[in-house]
Amino acid sequence: TNLRGSRGVQTADNEQMASQFDAYGENRWHVTPQTALVTGLQYVYALRDFTNNRNQANNATTTFAAVNPRLGVVHDVRRDIQVFGNLS
């Protein structure tokens, strides 16, 4: 607590930790010399940890995990111009 700019009594003592891991892979398969199908897969894992050092009943750990696919098309209009579209 802050009392008119002076430190007051401590009212909380918490720790928070977060970590995350992501991995992505992609492959291109050329249907024609100018057009390629693009497939991809992303994996996400996240951990969130909350520790209340004054009241352990409020401690919490949560994890999230997901797999996200991707599908797309790339077309070379010219040597220096590409057109693409993706679904994720």
Side-chain angles (χ1 to χ4, degrees):
T1 307
N2 185 328
L3 301 172
R4 296 184 188 110
S6 298
R7 177 177 262 176
V9 177
Q10 182 176 353
T11 59
D13 184 8
N14 304 316
E15 297 174 28
Q16 296 183 50
M17 188 274 299
S19 60
Q20 184 163 325
F21 171 78
D22 294 42
Y24 181 75
E26 181 177 285
N27 186 42
R28 289 185 180 209
W29 178 63
H30 284 272
V31 180
T32 69
Q34 293 83 22
T35 305
L37 292 177
V38 181
T39 58
L41 197 63
Q42 177 190 37
Y43 175 74
V44 178
Y45 176 82
L47 171 69
R48 304 293 185 261
D49 188 42
F50 176 82
T51 303
N52 185 327
N53 294 320
R54 291 184 170 226
N55 184 355
Q56 292 183 357
N58 291 332
N59 292 353
T61 300
T62 304
T63 58
F64 306 93
V67 176
N68 305 310
R70 176 182 175 186
L71 179 63
V73 177
V74 177
H75 180 74
D76 295 329
V77 178
R78 292 189 339 208
R79 189 175 182 96
D80 59 341
I81 297 176
Q82 286 185 331
V83 177
F84 66 92
N86 291 311
L87 294 173
S88 300

